[in-house]
């Protein structure tokens, strides 16, 4: 099978790594990919949002399956363009991707499907949460405990230019529950916990994600299935009823409150950096499952998961999430890999032969082990081999995990 992977982040590098192990993969292509992915397949200079360019590429390479990583091209309708031209795609239509692209659409679907979520509020009064309605790369959410935080949030949210959603503030542990979906069926993937805040101790601004680990203690396969029954499957049914069946990864961000799991948000794709901790635990045939989902038939598909744990630490530019870093030389990746870690590229580029920084989240470092504690120790040991100007990471990823 010839696969075209769309995207250029750490999530896509992890997908490329897993797909490149598939027995029935014949060629791996990426658009645009990154220097890490280039070691596993062929990268083509076509942007992820360029639907026409992707279609031309898929046709000329005789691609059997396109796997779309990021949300923006999905919300823009890239999957529709390919699918209408007869190219099999793993990734939802623009209509179905509104579950991520519009917070108010997601709220409406959840209400109709009776999915437990945070209550919407009509007045912004602390404590509450303010969300910009459109896509904001994980940065458009403001948790406000007091009036001062609320004032900042309202000003910042206005700068995104979308309308805002106001929600009750929920408390508890957060988990990300992923399911492969074929429009009607939902197949569970390993549960992951993500660390969204920029600084240790869950302080600082929200980011795209600073690290992740899997499994999550107290949230095993039975709990995941229960969430699929109360969240994912009712949403799939509702989306189908609205004429926008969902094919791809439906990712529910949940808060485990004292009153049970509540949905904070849906995403229409794999998480980043959750995928880096999720895929090393998938021992079954991921490519086969993605192809079956894209063909609308996941019946009888079962994806084996290993008992090993995985921990991912994201290495960022010095002033991420406020700013990026471009052009600083990166050293030590080979040493980190020799120490047993997977180093997934996120914001990197080649300057001649030299690997340099090119973004906010630069690399993610993933290690596995028989427990989360073992995987964590290995991941942090590997991080110490890597250096670039301004490099920063959180020191407490998976520190409180007891799995
Ligand atoms: P979202 O993009 O909606 O997942 O929000 C990003 C992060 O903001 C979540 O992972 C939570 O940490 C936090 N958050 C979002 N909604 C709420 C809520 N209703 N109550 C408390 N925290 C929230
Ligand atoms: N790590 C959260 C996300 O991918 O949206």
């Amino acid at each position: 099978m010839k696969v075209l992977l769309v995207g250029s982040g750490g999530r896509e590098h992890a997908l490329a790594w897993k797909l490149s192990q598939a027995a029935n993969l014949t060629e791996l292509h990426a658009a645009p990919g990154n220097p890490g992915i280039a070691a596993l397949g062929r990268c083509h200079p076509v942007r992820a949002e360029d639907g026409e360019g992707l279609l031309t590429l898929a046709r000329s390479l005789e691609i059997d399956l396109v796997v779309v990583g990021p949300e923006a091209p999905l919300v823009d309708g890239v999957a529709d363009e390919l699918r209408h031209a007869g190219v099999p795609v793993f990734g939802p239509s623009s209509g179905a991707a509104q579950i991520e692209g519009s917070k108010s659409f997601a709220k409406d679907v959840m209400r109709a499907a009776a999915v437990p979520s945070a209550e919407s509020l009509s007045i912004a009064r602390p404590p509450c949460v303010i969300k910009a309605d459109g896509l904001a790369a994980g940065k458009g959410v403001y948790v406000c405990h007091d009036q001062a935080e609320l004032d900042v949030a309202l000003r910042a949210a206005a700068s995104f230019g979308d309308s805002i959603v106001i929600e009750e503030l929920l408390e508890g542990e957060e988990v990300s529950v992923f399911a492969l979906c074929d429009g009607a069926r939902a197949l569970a993937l390993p549960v992951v916990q993500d660390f969204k805040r920029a600084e240790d101790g869950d302080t600082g601004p929200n980011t795209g994600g600073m690290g992740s680990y899997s499994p999550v203690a107290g949230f095993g396969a039975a709990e995941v299935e229960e969430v699929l029954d109360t969240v994912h499957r009712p949403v799939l049914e509702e989306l189908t009823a609205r004429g926008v069946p969902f094919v791809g990864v439906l990712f529910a961000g949940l808060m485990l409150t004292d009153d049970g799991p509540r949905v904070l948000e849906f995403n229409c794709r794999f998480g980043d950096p959750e995928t880096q901790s999720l895929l090393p635990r998938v021992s079954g045939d991921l490519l086969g499952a993605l192809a079956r989902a894209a063909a609308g038939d996941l019946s009888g598909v079962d994806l084996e998961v290993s008992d090993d744990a995985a921990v991912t630490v994201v290495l960022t530019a010095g002033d991420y999430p406020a700013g990026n870093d471009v052009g600083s030389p990166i050293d030590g990746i080979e040493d980190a890999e020799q120490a047993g870690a997977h180093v997934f590229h996120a914001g990197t580029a080649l300057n001649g032969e030299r690997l340099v920084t090119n973004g906010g989240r630069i690399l993610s470092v993933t290690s596995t082990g028989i427990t989360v504690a073992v995987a964590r120790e290995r991941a942090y040991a590997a991080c110490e081999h890597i250096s670039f100007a301004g490099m920063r990471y959180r020191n407490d990823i998976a520190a409180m995990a007891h799995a």
Side-chain angles (χ1 to χ4, degrees), residues 2 27 42 44 53-63:
K2 293 187 188 179
E27 287 177 26
R42 234 176 90 204
H44 303 267
L54 291 173
L55 178 57
T56 305
L57 186 63
R59 281 195 165 135
S60 72
L61 296 167
E62 299 179 335
I63 292 295

Side-chain angles (χ1 to χ4, degrees), residues 5 16 49 105 153 163 193 204-205 228 237 239 258 296 359 362 365 388:
L5 177 62
E49 287 79 12
F105 176 81
S163 55
Q193 192 162 60
L228 262 53
E237 213 170 298
L239 290 176
D258 290 342
I362 308 297
V365 178
F388 54 84

Side-chain angles (χ1 to χ4, degrees), residues 4 6 31-32 45-57 72-73 76-78 81-82:
L4 173 61
V6 176
V46 176
R47 286 181 310 110
E49 287 79 12
D50 178 4
E52 219 178 293
L54 291 173
L55 178 57
T56 305
L57 186 63
D76 276 359
V78 157
E81 210 164 329
L82 291 160

Side-chain angles (χ1 to χ4, degrees), residues 11 194 196 208-209 251 265 267 269-274 361:
R11 162 185 51 210
D194 172 29
K196 291 215 166 70
F251 158 0
E265 63 161 350
N267 294 313
R269 38 128 189 126
F270 281 105
D272 190 343
E274 285 98 328
R361 294 189 290 178

